[in-house]
Amino acid sequence: MGNTLLIPQLTNAHVHVLDYFLMDIFNKYYIDDVVGAPYGLKYYYLRRVNPESLRNGLAMVFRRIRNYGIGCLLAIIEYGRLFTDVVINEARRVGLCIIPLAEPSAFRVYVKPGEEEDVDEGFEDDVRYFVDNGLGVSLISPLNYTMAELRLVSRLSGSRGLPISTHVSETEDTYLDNDLGRALTTLVTGNTVFVHLTQLSEEDLAKIPTLPVVTCPRSNIEFVGRLARVGAMLRRGLKPLIGTDNVALIEPDLWDEMKVMRLLMNGELNSHTILNMATSWAWSWGFGYIIREGETMRGVALRIGYENMSLDYVYEYLTTRISSGDIVYLIDGSSITRIT
Amino acid sequence: MRRLSIKSAIALVDQELRPIRDTVIDISDDEITGIGRIPGSNNVVTWEIHY
């Protein structure tokens, strides 16, 4: 394969793919008006669109994602019952391993006092359908479901070993409404993935048990103007992963994400750690790949553009200089695909 | 059974992403069966770890 650097294919641990069609209006409106549930344009549109009409657009999104060297994707699927088939089919068509996280159609704008032990019939029906079909479950926020509903998801998904994903403390509002507290009392069994955690202090992070957590740096900068305390997550012993969040806003390119982390968090994160976040730490949660005997081969070969590169410099090279143009091959098992 | 050996100038291997030079990776039926210097599964390299 010539002068190449072979690494495991990357894992994008949090991405919304169904909003790609909103990219031209994303910066023109307040974020909740575009993607907020249930009144944002994304939800309004998805309630009306024929899933088949998104097939070609999704195929293009997934081809781009694949060509960034990504092998595994934790994808949020809004209105999961309607859109899981088309999303999963198109992702697999380009060779992506997709972890589908299907969002129930029923959720609450907010939970009223006295409702905490209620379970919406449509919500339960969706969750049981997802679990029976081997799908993970995506929750918008612990604030959008009653405590009984959160416990139900945890019990049903946890008993099958299926992942649950939920946004936690992405915005100041949700933090002040104690979404973390609700999550910690209901969702810590099973394979729950906490995403964003942008507002959490070191003390808050210390309360989180050893679960997969995901940071989305560029999205967090765009939406809320701050980064999660990834250094504190590491000190807590968590192994954070990296996501790119909304395709409508952020190009789902993990190389750009890693460069931003390297630049903005250099005091707390070194390049080796950043690469672990995008590869082997995801693997440790069952969401990605490493190159080791006995493992399925899922690798990406990157062109080395300089002579005599020192091994001491490899991690820095990857997080500062590599871009999508350096990706030359994807290796999937015994199959090699040249990326042009 | 489909077999393949690929060689790269540098590979990041194992959970620790250890960089090693001039490594041949043997693959059989999609699974990594050997990491060595020449094609074949029984030529495991000694890790050259440079941090």
Side-chain angles (χ1 to χ4, degrees):
Chain A
M1 299 174 67
N3 193 28
T4 57
L5 205 168
L6 184 64
I7 68 169
Q9 290 178 18
L10 309 178
T11 294
N12 187 339
H14 184 75
V15 60
H16 297 258
V17 292
L18 282 169
D19 58 15
Y20 70 87
F21 55 86
L22 294 171
M23 66 173 62
D24 55 340
I25 63 166
F26 216 80
N27 282 322
K28 296 176 184 166
Y29 300 97
Y30 178 61
I31 175 61
D32 274 352
D33 294 334
V34 184
V35 294
Y39 303 120
L41 286 170
K42 174 171 74 172
Y43 284 87
Y44 178 87
Y45 184 80
L46 291 177
R47 283 193 294 271
R48 288 159 177 78
V49 71
N50 178 346
E52 287 301 314
S53 70
L54 299 181
R55 191 176 287 281
N56 288 343
L58 285 169
M60 295 174 75
V61 170
F62 288 130
R63 270 198 298 275
R64 290 183 72 81
I65 289 173
R66 190 77 174 114
N67 289 348
Y68 292 134
I70 290 166
C72 185
L73 200 66
L74 278 71
I76 307 300
I77 306 175
E78 293 83 355
Y79 295 113
R81 211 148 168 169
L82 286 176
F83 292 100
T84 44
D85 284 349
V86 68
V87 170
I88 292 170
N89 289 343
E90 291 308 316
R92 287 181 177 162
R93 198 186 298 275
V94 298
L96 281 163
C97 169
I98 183 168
I99 311 290
L101 298 160
E103 193 173 285
S105 300
F107 49 86
R108 297 160 197 264
V109 179
Y110 60 93
V111 178
K112 296 173 186 162
E115 284 184 345
E116 291 289 9
E117 294 308 313
D118 294 355
V119 174
D120 180 87
E121 204 172 292
F123 174 84
E124 180 169 355
D125 191 46
D126 272 2
V127 172
R128 287 188 183 278
Y129 174 85
F130 298 152
V131 170
D132 287 345
N133 286 279
L135 304 169
V137 176
S138 168
L139 301 174
I140 299 166
S141 157
L143 299 169
N144 294 105
Y145 312 93
T146 67
M147 297 294 268
E149 288 166 344
L150 295 171
R151 287 194 299 269
L152 177 79
V153 177
S154 186
R155 181 167 55 81
L156 292 178
S157 298
S159 65
R160 305 280 184 94
L162 295 166
I164 303 166
S165 173
T166 183
H167 301 85
V168 175
S169 295
E170 179 180 10
T171 66
E172 190 175 13
D173 287 351
T174 56
Y175 175 70
L176 293 173
D177 286 343
N178 194 30
D179 61 346
L180 176 64
R182 293 175 72 85
L184 289 178
T185 51
T186 53
L187 294 175
V188 289
T189 57
N191 227 5
T192 305
V193 182
F194 284 7
V195 183
H196 294 307
L197 312 174
T198 323
Q199 308 293 325
L200 299 187
S201 66
E202 185 137 6
E203 293 73 30
D204 294 323
L205 290 165
K207 298 174 190 167
I208 296 178
T210 308
L211 295 170
V213 295
V214 180
T215 184
C216 305
R218 287 182 298 161
S219 167
N220 294 155
I221 293 168
E222 288 271 7
F223 284 158
V224 294
R226 62 188 294 176
L227 293 163
R229 291 177 170 81
V230 179
M233 293 178 188
L234 299 175
R235 287 190 289 278
R236 166 69 187 86
L238 302 173
K239 291 181 174 176
L241 316 180
I242 311 172
T244 56
D245 210 3
N246 300 85
V247 170
L249 178 68
I250 304 290
E251 181 64 18
D253 178 352
L254 277 186
W255 298 103
D256 283 350
E257 214 70 64
M258 286 192 276
K259 286 191 187 82
V260 165
M261 295 185 77
R262 164 69 178 67
L263 284 169
L264 299 182
M265 304 181 184
N266 197 28
E268 295 197 293
L269 296 182
N270 61 38
S271 294
H272 190 180
T273 297
I274 294 169
L275 286 164
N276 279 322
M277 292 170 71
T279 57
S280 60
W281 287 357
W283 169 84
S284 73
W285 291 112
F287 302 137
Y289 311 102
I290 60 170
I291 297 173
R292 185 168 79 184
E293 284 186 29
E295 295 288 328
T296 300
M297 181 61 191
R298 295 292 298 261
V300 53
L302 309 161
R303 181 184 300 106
I304 301 175
Y306 298 88
E307 274 192 297
N308 302 320
M309 188 171 69
S310 160
L311 289 187
D312 296 336
Y313 182 58
V314 168
Y315 302 132
E316 289 284 307
Y317 183 81
L318 285 165
T319 58
T320 57
R321 295 178 186 269
I322 290 290
S323 65
S324 56
D326 295 312
I327 296 169
V328 281
Y329 300 107
L330 291 171
I331 303 101
D332 298 292
S334 305
S335 162
I336 299 180
T337 305
R338 184 170 179 91
I339 305 297
T340 54
Chain B
M1 178 178 289
R2 184 159 182 217
R3 291 185 175 172
L4 176 72
S5 292
I6 55 175
K7 181 179 179 182
S8 63
I10 301 173
L12 300 189
V13 303
D14 220 330
Q15 195 170 354
E16 296 76 27
L17 304 177
R18 288 181 288 204
I20 55 176
R21 277 199 198 281
D22 298 328
T23 301
V24 174
I25 296 178
D26 298 315
I27 302 157
S28 180
D29 283 345
D30 296 342
E31 185 179 297
I32 299 169
T33 54
I35 299 175
R37 287 278 185 238
I38 53 174
S41 301
N42 299 313
N43 58 102
V44 175
V45 295
T46 302
W47 306 120
E48 296 174 18
I49 306 172
H50 296 257
Y51 292 112

